[in-house]
Amino acid sequence: MITFENPAAFLLLLLPPLYIILRKTGLFKRLSFPLTLGDWGGTAFIWNGTFRSIVRIFSKLLGLAAYIAAVAACADPIMQHQEKIFTSRGSDILLVLDTSPSMAARDIAGGSRLEAAKTGIRTLIEANRGISFGLVTMGSEAATVVPPTADHELFFKRLETLAIGTQGNGSAIGTGLSTAIYHLITSTAPKKCIVLITDGENNAGEIHPETAAELARENEITIYTFGIGTKGSVPVEYVDPDTGKLISGYYESEFNPKPLEDIARIGGGQYFSIETMGALSSALAAVGTRENVIQTYHMRSSDTHYYNRLLLICAVCAILGWCVRRLCLQEVC
């Protein structure tokens, strides 16, 4: 919301139209002092072309803009911001994201599965400011990218750096889940859950996914599984992180959702089949709603002053207007 410390300053905007009215009625005349520099009897130079008229109007508009900016600066506009500051602990949600090459398949909203997952995750976090989020990437290996944190800006920065193939070519689902569970076991959050987003079956790692799901259940950690991607032949394009070469072609997308359904069932959560961006957004929103808890908070206000910015605009317009009159119109003052 924008407020003004000195709104009476806007009365100064009445001066230009008042000046014009006085000039038109003849009550106020411009002071002028004729000065003859020479009388040689020749024809005076006259430049009344269309271009000169346009430039003159432009210079006047710049002067008007400078005046309005100066008046607005005198009014001292302030933008007020309200921010929730949570004073109690929210839930912990740890996302396990598959980054294997098949996640480069371009069948979700015209983009890759990984990019769709990033977009959906960002939307989820922006809608749940009181929740702490963490991120684990999974391929043939798994690694923690962000431990559960309430610093969402840090999360977003790390999320954007994710690339296809950085954790290998497989899908070590059991390892990915176990890595996430390791970070959540000691958490004191009132609710803890894991969201697994993958497009394949477990084909790497030494930990069976159902073993990891049982460990999660024992530690009161809920698991939601997302099977992302359509079936059939889909285009794939990504840059190999090891060689730097562009890999492109077609991928026969087909996997059995039963293992993911079993993981979600054991983990006390739910399986979601994701073939569109809308389905992904709805599923993530459902998880956010289900895992949310009541939190206490207070509102913090912060103000942004625009006085200096408006003065800068005023100065730029005034200088530019002077340059136009002096250089283009050849006016002395």
Side-chain angles (χ1 to χ4, degrees), residues 301-313:
S301 298
S302 60
D303 296 336
T304 301
H305 291 260
Y306 289 91
Y307 177 80
N308 292 334
R309 301 179 192 182
L310 288 169
L311 283 183
L312 178 61
I313 294 173

Side-chain angles (χ1 to χ4, degrees), residues 8-29:
F10 284 115
L11 293 175
L12 294 174
L13 293 176
L14 298 176
L15 292 181
L18 180 61
Y19 170 76
I20 294 173
I21 292 173
L22 293 175
R23 286 289 307 278
K24 293 294 183 181
T25 57
L27 297 177
F28 180 81
K29 295 182 179 180

Side-chain angles (χ1 to χ4, degrees), residues 205-284:
E206 299 180 355
I207 302 174
H208 196 281
E210 292 188 11
T211 302
E214 290 171 357
L215 179 62
R217 181 180 61 188
E218 292 172 2
N219 288 276
E220 299 181 343
I221 300 171
T222 306
I223 298 179
Y224 299 92
T225 57
F226 289 43
I228 189 169
T230 60
K231 296 182 179 181
S233 181
V234 293
V236 174
E237 184 176 287
Y238 70 100
V239 176
D240 188 296
D242 296 325
T243 63
K245 294 182 179 179
L246 179 66
I247 308 296
S248 62
Y250 282 85
Y251 166 69
E252 290 299 324
S253 179
E254 184 71 34
F255 77 94
N256 181 12
K258 183 65 166 55
L260 294 181
E261 293 173 354
D262 291 339
I263 294 171
R265 176 181 53 79
I266 296 171
Q270 184 178 349
Y271 168 75
F272 297 91
S273 178
I274 307 298
E275 295 189 0
T276 65
M277 196 65 220
L280 176 59
S281 298
S282 297
L284 287 171

Side-chain angles (χ1 to χ4, degrees), residues 177-201:
L177 292 175
S178 298
T179 303
I181 293 168
Y182 171 80
H183 287 283
L184 292 177
I185 283 180
T186 57
S187 172
T188 59
K191 282 188 177 182
K192 299 175 285 187
C193 81
I194 295 170
V195 177
L196 170 66
I197 303 177
T198 182
D199 64 350
E201 300 175 21

Side-chain angles (χ1 to χ4, degrees), residues 44-67:
F45 174 74
I46 300 175
W47 183 16
N48 290 322
T50 303
F51 175 75
R52 181 179 175 84
S53 299
I54 293 174
V55 173
R56 183 179 291 278
I57 292 173
F58 178 63
S59 68
K60 290 182 177 180
L61 289 176
L62 285 173
L64 180 61
Y67 182 75

